[in-house]
Amino acid sequence: MARPRIQRVGTHFAKWRALTLVLVYVLMIVHVVHWRLAGRTLAPLELNEVMYTAELGIVTAGFLFMALTVITTAVFGRFFCGWGCHILALEDACAWLLAKARIRPKPVRSHVIAWVPLGAALYMFVWPQVARFLEGRPVASLRIAGDAEGWASFVTEDYWRNLPGPAIAILTFIICGFLIVYVLGSRSFCKYVCPYGALFSIADRVAPGRIRLKPGIDRNACLSCGKCTGVCQSHIRVHEELAMHGAVVSADCLKDLDCVAVCPKGAIRVSAGVPPPFRTAARAADRRAFDFTFVEELTALGAFLLVFLSFRGLYGEVPLLMALAMGVSAAYLTVKTIHMFTKTDVRFNRSTLKSSGKWTGAGRAFASAALLFALFTAHSSFVRAHEALGDRSYRAIETSLASGVPKPGLVQDALGHYEAASAFGLMQPTYISRRLASLYALAGEAKPQEHALRRVLADDEGDAEARIRLASLLIQSDRLEEAIEHLRRVEATRPRFSREREPLRLLQAEAARMIGAVWLLRGAPAAAVEPLLRSLTLHESATAHAALARAHAELQRWDAATESAMRAVEMEPSVLDWRLLHAQALAGGGRLEEAATTLKAAADRFPCDPRPHYLLGRVAELRSDRRQAAQHYQDSLKRDRSFLDARRALTELLSRQPTQ
């Protein structure tokens, strides 16, 4: 008579949990919609932002959410995993669909796979701090940051700052929420992959809140019907733990309460008590045997590492959790493939792969799929290895550039690896195209650099820096019209986020300056003035002032030319060209004494350069002082015998000397 009542309670729990998990996705959608409409929103509550807090010291919403979740788990147990995790929602949906299809994957018990979550947690949260200590870097101090710093703490314009693109996100959900459940059983992502689950498991060990027998219930009087164990999707032997400890002590318990609902005696409840941090799930004699032999465990470990390392970060896209899920799935399937050659009968879920020593049609399909995946993994391993080696050489180049010139061979080494990855890869990541462009620039190879920059712009039309670099190459090859077109597109670019405004403003100022320079090259100084003024409005630079001075000088606007050149000298007094330009503008305006004074100061500051003395000779000629002019030309040639301008001017001056 009590059974119907308990079944209603079970349905009640299941409905509420399903509603809660659906609500998680509804809130995610609302979050994205709010961001799209408002342009700013709460930073994504991503648990992996703990890594960025530890590395950069920036307190984020994700970090606070993770801290709150660990604290609540240490008090109440792993309720968040069972009632608030979006991946678990997908896992349970997949398990439900498989059950409808009468497929119930057998949970896998492996030493290797069981240690993956803890290893991933150490890799994510502990190893970066160990590396920081070994490198002698100080621990980052905690602080609050805004979007202008590139990584906002709480409110951001860049919702996707730490999230994969839609395609990779969907693929991650498919692998982590569905494929792994089909291969390894329900809740397999939580048990065999999730690094956050490893941390929550540790916190759960000290949690007083857990599933217990009600007070007054005799453990020996429990019916031991096993219904609580049968409904547990985390594959915990609930009835054994209750009989042994009076509570579920396994840290794999996600508190979904199905066992509470199904108990025919109503003997189970959630309550507080002394936490059992050192109790094991079962006595050693009662522990179930693991599925793999020692050799198979080593094989599974090798397969996991190969697949994980081959796909982690592949093409700059594959995220950690997706690579981990692929690795643990491949570890089990590799052992299953070996069974196809070593055992007489082999099954995989409901499919018979081998019977009485003969492969079935399903077995041949399984082996074919395994072969294709092995080939794909080998190909991905080759590409990823070249990407990683190229990244290492590129970082070494960046380090050496900071202190001078790159070490010999580093540029060609990085180019070789990136070119191999691009030639054999299924795609070329944008970041590799950018790096190839920089490497070709260092190697002095213009055509490949142009090709790489065009690849960057094909992937990201809004990359203003790549456009400017491409325009510079086009100017060098005298393709001025196309260069101006790219530079105008830079000026028309709008920042996507506030942190991009200042860098983009500087790039737009450079684009306007380059447009002015192109008009000067084309002999149109009047057309150059307006873009140069526009450049100076965006960002004042000595280069733009100097270009504007040249434009004014060609238009014989000597006062304006003098003013612009003087501003360039004030901004960069160590540049001789600006001083010479200033002197020429003064001379053009008839201010010869000031021009001579400026040139003498330049000659004193740059005693080895022949140009100040050459221009002093020109000024002396304008003042009809031929003797002084000849002396300056000779002084110029003393500093550089091959300086043709001074030699030509001296020859012409001597040829015009009056006959005695």
Side-chain angles (χ1 to χ4, degrees):
M1 295 298 101
R3 186 177 181 85
R5 178 184 63 82
I6 294 169
Q7 186 63 39
R8 286 195 299 272
V9 173
T11 303
H12 178 72
F13 280 147
K15 285 182 177 180
W16 274 108
R17 196 164 63 85
L19 178 62
T20 303
L21 293 173
V22 170
L23 185 61
V24 170
Y25 279 93
V26 172
L27 290 175
M28 290 168 63
I29 294 171
V30 170
H31 199 170
V32 174
V33 171
H34 177 263
W35 168 61
R36 298 296 296 178
L37 294 177
R40 290 172 63 83
T41 190
L42 176 69
L45 300 177
E46 278 292 301
L47 301 182
N48 66 355
E49 290 199 353
V50 174
M51 294 189 298
Y52 298 93
T53 300
E55 182 65 24
L56 304 175
I58 299 176
V59 177
T60 65
F63 167 77
L64 295 178
F65 182 63
M66 178 71 172
L68 178 63
T69 305
V70 171
I71 292 171
T72 55
T73 300
V75 177
F76 302 106
R78 295 182 65 179
F79 274 94
F80 170 76
C81 295
W83 293 73
C85 177
H86 62 290
I87 294 294
L88 182 127
L90 298 176
E91 291 182 278
D92 283 2
C94 179
W96 181 78
L97 292 173
L98 290 175
K100 290 294 184 180
R102 298 183 180 180
I103 299 174
R104 189 170 185 178
K106 175 180 176 291
V108 178
R109 295 180 293 274
S110 162
H111 288 289
V112 169
I113 296 178
W115 283 100
V116 166
L118 181 59
L122 294 174
Y123 170 75
M124 291 176 65
F125 305 120
V126 177
W127 168 247
Q129 303 311 310
V130 174
R132 178 190 289 273
F133 174 77
L134 295 176
E135 294 170 5
R137 292 182 291 137
V139 177
S141 56
L142 297 180
R143 59 195 175 91
I144 305 297
D147 265 325
E149 296 184 52
W151 196 270
S153 290
F154 304 121
V155 179
T156 182
E157 299 169 339
D158 186 7
Y159 179 84
W160 292 105
R161 66 189 189 185
N162 192 31
L163 300 172
I168 294 296
I170 292 172
L171 188 58
T172 300
F173 283 168
I174 291 173
I175 292 174
C176 296
F178 290 87
L179 175 64
I180 194 172
V181 172
Y182 179 71
V183 174
L184 299 175
S186 63
R187 308 281 172 84
S188 49
F189 178 85
C190 307
K191 186 176 179 62
Y192 304 130
V193 173
C194 185
Y196 315 112
L199 299 181
F200 296 149
S201 295
I202 296 172
D204 182 86
R205 286 290 183 182
V206 300
R210 60 188 57 251
I211 294 173
R212 303 175 183 274
L213 285 174
K214 290 182 178 180
I217 298 293
D218 185 358
R219 299 180 191 177
N220 297 323
C222 176
L223 296 179
S224 297
C225 59
K227 290 184 178 180
C228 51
T229 298
V231 298
C232 181
Q233 296 186 66
S234 298
H235 310 294
I236 298 171
R237 312 250 330 152
V238 179
H239 69 288
E240 292 182 1
E241 296 195 17
L242 290 173
M244 190 179 307
H245 304 295
V248 177
V249 300
S250 172
D252 293 333
C253 178
L254 305 187
K255 309 297 189 292
D256 53 27
L257 305 183
D258 289 343
C259 58
V260 174
V262 81
C263 179
K265 297 188 69 176
I268 310 174
R269 71 171 187 175
V270 178
S271 62
V274 178
F278 302 111
R279 296 182 188 177
T280 56
R283 297 186 184 94
D286 296 333
R287 289 177 184 165
R288 294 162 290 165
F290 285 88
D291 293 333
F292 296 165
T293 65
F294 178 73
V295 174
E296 289 173 344
E297 291 282 5
L298 291 180
T299 303
L301 175 61
F304 166 76
L305 291 175
L306 175 62
V307 172
F308 173 72
L309 294 175
S310 297
F311 289 96
R312 169 73 174 114
L314 182 65
Y315 303 121
E317 293 287 348
V318 179
L320 175 67
L321 296 184
M322 177 178 168
L324 288 170
M326 294 176 68
V328 296
S329 299
Y332 173 71
L333 293 175
T334 298
V335 174
K336 185 64 69 174
T337 302
I338 293 174
H339 289 171
M340 293 282 291
F341 295 92
T342 59
K343 293 190 175 183
T344 303
D345 298 288
V346 182
R347 289 182 60 82
F348 177 62
N349 291 335
R350 291 186 61 188
S351 302
T352 300
L353 306 181
K354 191 176 182 181
S355 178
S356 301
K358 294 183 178 180
W359 287 14
T360 64
R364 287 189 288 272
F366 179 88
S368 299
L371 176 61
L372 290 175
F373 183 74
L375 293 174
F376 180 49
T377 301
H379 173 269
S380 299
S381 178
F382 176 84
V383 173
R384 184 70 190 108
H386 279 291
E387 287 180 347
L389 291 171
D391 292 345
R392 185 180 66 178
S393 295
Y394 192 85
R395 287 192 297 269
I397 291 170
E398 289 181 320
T399 301
S400 60
L401 280 175
S403 57
V405 181
K407 295 178 181 178
L410 275 180
V411 172
Q412 291 303 322
D413 184 62
L415 277 174
H417 287 303
Y418 282 145
E419 286 173 343
S422 299
F424 292 95
L426 301 178
M427 59 180 288
Q428 180 170 309
T430 305
Y431 89 93
I432 286 186
S433 298
R434 289 193 180 97
R435 291 185 172 185
L436 281 171
S438 298
L439 292 168
Y440 286 130
L442 288 173
E445 300 180 32
K447 282 294 182 184
Q449 183 187 359
E450 179 182 336
H451 176 71
L453 290 170
R454 292 189 186 277
R455 286 289 298 265
V456 172
L457 293 174
D459 296 336
D460 183 3
E461 292 185 352
D463 192 326
E465 183 179 357
R467 282 200 187 279
I468 284 182
R469 293 172 63 184
L470 177 58
S472 180
L473 287 176
L474 294 171
I475 291 171
Q476 293 172 25
S477 59
D478 203 32
R479 289 176 282 175
L480 304 182
E481 288 292 343
E482 187 180 356
I484 288 179
E485 179 184 346
H486 282 289
L487 294 170
R488 284 175 175 164
R489 291 188 66 175
V490 171
E491 288 195 284
T493 303
R494 294 291 175 264
R496 292 167 294 185
F497 312 114
S498 60
R499 68 171 183 268
E500 295 180 350
R501 288 172 189 160
E502 182 61 19
L504 181 59
R505 185 174 65 83
L506 297 178
L507 291 171
Q508 289 175 329
E510 177 63 10
R513 186 201 66 78
M514 291 174 68
I515 291 174
V518 169
W519 285 117
L520 284 174
L521 285 173
R522 299 177 69 176
V529 172
E530 191 275 331
L532 290 172
L533 289 173
R534 191 165 66 246
S535 174
L536 290 168
T537 300
L538 292 168
H539 176 68
E540 194 175 12
S541 69
T543 308
H545 275 297
L548 184 59
R550 291 192 182 95
H552 284 313
E554 290 189 29
L555 295 169
Q556 297 186 355
R557 300 171 182 169
W558 301 114
D559 289 342
T562 300
E563 182 181 350
S564 295
M566 187 61 214
R567 185 62 185 135
V569 173
E570 291 172 350
M571 294 185 70
E572 293 183 355
S574 61
V575 178
L576 175 59
D577 287 347
W578 307 160
R579 292 175 178 271
L580 301 181
L581 182 61
H582 181 223
Q584 289 172 308
L586 288 168
R591 299 156 68 178
L592 300 181
E593 288 295 337
E594 294 178 64
T597 301
T598 299
L599 289 169
K600 286 176 182 177
D604 291 339
R605 182 158 184 167
F606 304 93
C608 297
D609 198 295
R611 292 175 295 169
H613 287 282
Y614 164 70
L615 290 177
L616 278 168
R618 303 299 291 183
V619 171
E621 282 200 72
L622 290 173
R623 297 165 65 185
S624 301
D625 190 343
R626 294 186 175 183
R627 185 184 62 79
Q628 191 67 34
Q631 182 61 49
H632 284 304
Y633 292 146
Q634 289 169 356
D635 289 342
S636 178
L637 289 170
K638 286 178 183 178
R639 287 157 176 78
D640 185 357
R641 303 298 299 178
S642 63
F643 190 26
L644 294 179
D645 288 344
R647 186 173 298 280
R648 188 179 301 113
L650 180 60
T651 301
E652 291 177 357
L653 178 65
L654 294 176
S655 68
R656 294 196 302 270
Q657 291 289 345
T659 305
Q660 299 295 332

